[in-house]
Amino acid sequence: MKALLDTNIIIHREASKVMNQDIGILYRWLERTKYTKCIHSITVTEIDKNPNKQTVELFHVKLANYELIEIPSPMQPKIKTVSDKLDINPNDINDTLLLNEVYIGRVDILITEDKKIHKKAIQLGIRDKVFTIDSFLEKTFAEHPDLVNYKVLNVQKLKFGRINISDAFFDSLKEDYIGFDKWFIKKYDDEAYITINSNNGLLLSFLYLKVEGEDENYANITPPFSSKKRLKIGTFKVINNGFRLGERFMKIIFDNALKNDVEEIYVTIFDKREEQRRLIDLLEQWGFSYWGKKEEELVYVRDFTHRINDEYLKQSYPFISRNKDCFIVPIYPDYHTELLPDSILNTESPEEFIEDFPHRNGINKVYVSRAIEPHPKKGDTLIFYRTGGYYKSVVSTIGVVQEVRYDFSNEEDFLLYCRKSSVFPEDQLRAIWRYSKVKPFAIRFLYIYSFPHRANMKELIDLQILSGINDAPRGFKYITKEQFNKILKATKSDESFIVD
């Protein structure tokens, strides 16, 4: 298998001072999965433009470790059509030359962080062969879990003073923010959320949040903020490693915003590095939009008033509507806490869930089913019901449907859609697909809320939500708005995320 690497990835990897730790992880995975690392002659041409001859010579020595695509393939007609439509400068045309090699099959995949390349790949029908660093790592983790030689521990909340500021993780922050070390020491008694690599104790992610009142001074932000209670994302960095840590931390941000009843969330961020651009992209996916500037930094803001965006549910996450259809959905005990780790039961051991996995971290999750109708639709509410009998079956979790997918063209299409967001490893997904002539469908949903109190089957029967023992949900059991409200009260839920 051959992996073609975009010019920017090569430059970051082979630079004398490596600041992007994600790329180091990418290269280790390429080696473990036995990909041949390829570069295109256009990359060499780009590097040769550097005015520093010594730097160019050093790069050429390092480029000897790659397989060179020396003579570009003839431009394919479909590629030419897309290029004529989207390419507006020489850099765009060079990027299209890389896509052409994937399209024609000279290489198997292309790894790039360039959003425009991914847009062109979708139009060419080769999106499954063009990856970001993170999506490639997610793919290889799903395909080769046996090759993961380190563990990521679950999110911890620690005081700054217990976190090692000498960790290489902080190097880019120290370079971007003058006085970062002094600021960090001043925060010794404050808390931050972190994850670490348990093999070496090094940081993989860091998040610091601060609640600001209506009297906060925003004189250095242009245009100025109005007076509101806000949650500031003070410091946020995630090393992409295939574990979907970015989504996990977005959930923490929204949970804190809900808990503190803020009207807005904001972040100030530089746009200097690839990791910062990826973070901006993640924030935009979850409803943050560009506001203005704070000196040299960009300011992004997320409205957190109670509203629903029916078209783009992630834009108004975690708010859901009380007036949508609601379904109780069964999930077996073996899969329940794997898919919904925040809904762990008191009878389960937290020690079994110290080690992290991608499907546990995502807000986006996939539920696979063969159930007969009724089926939910986009925007509907799901209440997950952990099976187990009269006293042990409990409702534990609320989700909201993003998409119901029936139209899988084949087994590989099904596998690609489900594997990184469901609890099932690749071999089990293949077995599910092949099990019977009735093909499964998949529901992509957003994890919203874990019930503080778990109402069991007995309570649900007493509340007349279930008619009896034989009424336990086997597929998607529709319940009325009144029954939904009964569940909310019985589970002692905080209803601040529900919009009437």
Side-chain angles (χ1 to χ4, degrees):
M1 297 284 285
K2 293 185 176 183
L4 180 59
L5 302 177
D6 187 11
T7 304
N8 284 339
I9 289 177
I10 300 294
I11 290 172
H12 281 296
R13 169 63 180 179
E14 304 302 351
S16 57
K17 186 177 182 182
V18 179
M19 297 296 291
N20 193 336
Q21 293 162 281
D22 312 45
I23 292 176
I25 296 172
L26 167 66
Y27 272 60
R28 287 196 293 275
W29 271 100
L30 286 168
E31 289 163 7
R32 286 176 199 156
T33 50
K34 303 190 186 316
Y35 273 91
T36 299
K37 296 185 287 295
C38 301
I39 58 170
H40 198 278
S41 56
I42 199 66
T43 293
V44 179
T45 302
E46 288 293 310
I47 289 169
D48 286 344
K49 290 178 182 178
N50 191 309
N52 188 319
K53 290 185 179 181
Q54 187 176 357
T55 299
V56 172
E57 289 173 5
L58 183 60
F59 262 104
H60 273 278
V61 171
K62 294 179 177 180
L63 293 181
N65 295 319
Y66 298 83
E67 181 174 301
L68 175 64
I69 298 176
E70 185 176 1
I71 303 171
S73 302
M75 185 77 78
Q76 301 303 295
K78 192 171 180 180
I79 294 278
K80 181 73 166 58
T81 300
V82 171
S83 178
D84 290 343
K85 191 192 313 181
L86 295 178
D87 292 345
I88 58 177
N89 58 50
N91 284 338
D92 290 343
I93 295 170
N94 288 345
D95 291 340
T96 300
L97 291 176
L98 302 183
L99 273 172
N100 188 56
E101 305 298 349
V102 184
Y103 186 82
I104 207 168
R106 198 167 171 188
V107 295
D108 297 285
I109 63 171
L110 169 64
I111 302 176
T112 176
E113 297 291 295
D114 189 292
K115 286 196 270 190
K116 197 166 185 179
I117 294 180
H118 287 276
K119 182 180 179 180
K120 287 186 276 192
I122 291 170
Q123 294 201 14
L124 290 165
I126 55 172
R127 66 184 302 173
D128 60 331
K129 296 180 180 180
V130 181
F131 296 89
T132 62
I133 293 174
D134 204 36
S135 64
F136 174 78
L137 293 173
E138 287 182 0
K139 165 188 170 326
T140 50
F141 183 93
E143 292 175 347
H144 306 283
D146 52 309
L147 296 180
V148 181
N149 61 0
Y150 68 93
K151 296 179 180 180
V152 174
L153 297 186
N154 274 332
V155 177
Q156 304 173 52
K157 195 175 182 182
L158 288 181
K159 290 187 182 294
F160 275 63
R162 299 189 181 279
I163 300 169
N164 180 17
I165 193 175
S166 299
D167 193 307
F169 177 91
F170 292 113
D171 287 352
S172 63
L173 293 168
K174 292 174 185 175
E175 186 168 294
D176 287 341
Y177 297 95
I178 297 170
F180 180 83
D181 299 70
K182 289 183 179 179
W183 172 83
F184 194 95
I185 293 169
K186 285 181 182 179
K187 295 291 181 184
Y188 260 27
D189 293 318
D190 290 349
E191 292 182 315
Y193 297 90
I194 66 165
T195 54
I196 62 170
N197 178 334
S198 66
N199 283 14
N200 55 27
L202 298 180
L203 282 166
L204 292 166
S205 50
F206 181 95
L207 171 66
Y208 167 64
L209 300 172
K210 178 189 175 190
V211 178
E212 296 178 343
E214 295 182 3
D215 58 348
E216 188 74 25
N217 183 358
Y218 298 112
N220 54 359
I221 291 179
T222 306
F225 279 166
S226 60
S227 179
K228 288 180 183 177
K229 186 178 182 184
R230 291 181 171 85
L231 180 69
K232 179 182 180 181
I233 303 172
T235 306
F236 185 19
K237 179 181 175 181
V238 174
I239 295 175
N240 284 348
N241 64 349
F243 281 76
R244 304 180 76 192
L245 296 176
E247 269 191 41
R248 178 60 171 159
F249 277 80
M250 292 307 300
K251 180 71 170 68
I252 292 169
I253 290 167
F254 292 129
D255 283 350
N256 274 272
L258 206 59
K259 177 183 176 183
N260 289 286
D261 192 27
V262 303
E263 296 178 74
E264 205 165 73
I265 312 169
Y266 80 100
V267 61
T268 64
I269 185 169
F270 285 112
D271 185 15
K272 297 177 180 178
R273 308 178 188 280
E274 205 61 61
E275 67 188 43
Q276 292 161 340
R277 296 184 191 105
R278 281 202 304 272
L279 190 53
I280 289 170
D281 184 53
L282 176 69
L283 292 164
E284 287 178 335
Q285 289 176 38
W286 292 96
F288 285 78
S289 58
Y290 175 74
W291 172 268
K293 286 195 170 185
K294 177 186 175 183
E295 297 170 353
E296 294 182 17
E297 290 183 277
L298 307 181
V299 179
Y300 280 79
V301 168
R302 166 62 136 82
D303 176 28
F304 207 69
T305 54
H306 287 54
R307 62 183 180 85
I308 304 292
N309 185 331
D310 288 320
E311 186 63 26
Y312 302 104
L313 293 168
K314 289 165 71 172
Q315 303 282 315
S316 55
Y317 180 91
F319 299 109
I320 66 170
S321 172
R322 197 188 301 270
N323 297 314
K324 299 290 186 179
D325 287 343
C326 185
F327 297 83
I328 299 180
V329 188
I331 184 167
Y332 291 123
D334 286 351
Y335 304 128
H336 171 266
T337 309
E338 275 296 322
L339 189 63
L340 307 164
D342 286 359
S343 298
I344 186 170
L345 271 60
N346 291 331
T347 54
E348 295 176 305
S349 171
E351 297 300 317
E352 296 178 15
F353 298 93
I354 288 175
E355 185 183 344
D356 216 344
F357 290 95
H359 57 260
R360 294 180 184 172
N361 281 325
I363 300 175
N364 287 284
K365 297 178 185 288
V366 168
Y367 180 89
V368 178
S369 178
R370 281 196 186 84
I372 60 172
E373 292 185 334
H375 293 165
K377 60 186 180 300
K378 182 178 179 178
D380 285 348
T381 302
L382 303 177
I383 296 181
F384 286 89
Y385 172 92
R386 186 185 189 273
T387 61
Y390 190 63
Y391 290 107
K392 291 186 177 180
S393 293
V394 293
V395 287
S396 70
T397 312
I398 292 179
V400 63
V401 177
Q402 275 200 291
E403 180 182 47
V404 183
R405 176 90 188 270
Y406 301 96
D407 59 338
F408 297 106
S409 55
N410 52 43
E411 182 178 314
E412 294 304 317
D413 186 23
F414 173 70
L415 192 69
L416 185 65
Y417 186 84
C418 296
R419 66 182 171 196
K420 72 178 183 181
S421 300
S422 79
V423 297
F424 301 113
E426 184 172 323
D427 58 343
Q428 281 186 258
L429 286 170
R430 291 190 185 279
I432 289 169
W433 178 262
R434 298 170 185 175
Y435 178 71
S436 73
K437 291 182 179 179
V438 179
K439 293 305 178 189
F441 61 96
I443 294 179
R444 186 174 294 279
F445 69 95
L446 298 175
Y447 159 61
I448 301 292
Y449 183 75
S450 294
F451 294 128
H453 170 72
R454 313 299 163 79
N456 62 17
M457 177 188 274
K458 178 186 181 305
E459 290 176 84
L460 296 176
I461 293 171
D462 291 345
L463 291 168
Q464 298 183 325
I465 293 163
L466 301 179
S467 61
I469 293 176
N470 294 328
D471 193 30
R474 292 175 176 81
F476 295 89
K477 179 179 175 59
Y478 173 79
I479 61 172
T480 65
K481 179 180 176 180
E482 290 69 30
Q483 289 173 318
F484 177 46
N485 290 335
K486 285 182 180 180
I487 289 176
L488 291 173
K489 287 181 171 53
T491 55
K492 301 176 182 175
S493 295
D494 175 357
E495 299 182 28
S496 59
F497 62 94
I498 298 175
V499 179
D500 291 323

